[in-house]
Amino acid sequence: MRHTEIKKLLSANLTCIASIILTTLIPSLFLRNFSVLGTHLIWLCICSASVGTVNIILHFILKPNSSMKRSSVAHKVAKFIRCCVYFFASCILFHGIIVLYGAPLIESVLETFLFAVLLSTFTTLHCLCLLGPNFQVWLRVFTKNGAMSIWDNNLQITTMCSMVGAWFGAFPIPLDWDRPWQDGISL
């Protein structure tokens, strides 16, 4: 049982990694003058859409936390709508946090919001796929010693690494290196 879960988890993680790599390589075949740095807004959209799609498809294929109870269509629709609301709320929350950490409020709204969507895709969507829209389960997983399965451990690691990686990626941005005091040149 544990060996098959590890294989499922490995295949899911490798598929997600492959989707991120492919979002960097494939658009250059179809879009003229595409580069991640030059057309970063298009890449943010493509990456968010592909990683989100891959996460949802993997959830339906692998069924990591399948429950034995059957639920009605109305319950599934209500759960889907709650997941969409939670995802949108997490995008707004991440956008606010990014602005509070120093991103421009008005000048780069689209870039900041798309980055928030990407961060929500790597964190919140993964949680919604595995745990559903139940905050009690989320609290159990993200508290000390709360992970009960290998999927919960993976969820903890990927969520925390995504958030720390976003912070480390944005950390050197204030260092413009275009100020005289940053070059070591005294006035």
Side-chain angles (χ1 to χ4, degrees):
M1 175 74 174
R2 182 137 170 100
H3 186 66
T4 58
E5 289 296 313
I6 291 173
K7 281 185 176 181
K8 283 183 181 180
L9 183 64
L10 178 65
S11 65
N13 284 332
L14 290 177
T15 305
C16 286
I17 290 169
S19 72
I20 295 168
I21 292 170
L22 288 176
T23 59
T24 306
L25 301 176
I26 297 294
S28 63
L29 299 175
F30 299 108
L31 300 173
R32 184 178 301 210
N33 298 329
F34 177 83
S35 71
V36 173
L37 297 177
T39 54
H40 62 281
L41 295 179
I42 295 171
W43 182 80
L44 284 171
C45 294
I46 292 170
C47 189
S48 295
S50 69
V51 169
T53 304
V54 166
N55 274 333
I56 292 168
I57 290 171
L58 286 173
H59 171 68
F60 285 124
I61 291 173
L62 299 177
K63 299 183 190 317
N65 292 336
S66 59
S67 63
M68 296 300 175
K69 66 179 183 177
R70 301 263 182 211
S71 57
S72 66
V73 174
H75 177 72
K76 290 180 182 178
V77 169
K79 188 176 177 181
F80 175 75
I81 291 172
R82 277 193 327 216
C83 287
C84 291
V85 168
Y86 289 173
F87 181 77
F88 183 70
S90 74
C91 292
I92 299 296
L93 179 70
F94 278 130
H95 181 79
I97 291 170
I98 292 166
V99 167
L100 287 175
Y101 271 108
L105 180 61
I106 296 173
E107 295 87 23
S108 303
V109 172
L110 185 61
E111 289 93 342
T112 305
F113 188 72
L114 286 176
F115 179 63
V117 170
L118 183 67
L119 195 55
S120 293
T121 303
F122 284 127
T123 57
T124 309
L125 184 65
H126 203 163
C127 293
L128 288 169
C129 284
L130 289 176
L131 305 175
N134 185 351
F135 278 125
Q136 300 301 327
V137 177
W138 287 34
L139 288 174
R140 177 191 54 81
V141 169
F142 288 104
T143 56
K144 186 177 180 182
N145 299 327
M148 295 183 162
S149 71
I150 192 168
W151 292 95
D152 293 347
N153 265 341
N154 181 56
L155 189 62
Q156 284 179 337
I157 292 167
T158 55
T159 301
M160 293 304 156
C161 286
S162 295
M163 293 173 64
V164 169
W167 187 82
F168 275 130
F171 177 71
I173 290 175
L175 304 174
D176 294 271
W177 303 111
D178 63 348
R179 308 282 189 265
W181 58 269
Q182 290 174 327
D183 290 333
I185 303 169
S186 60
L187 295 174

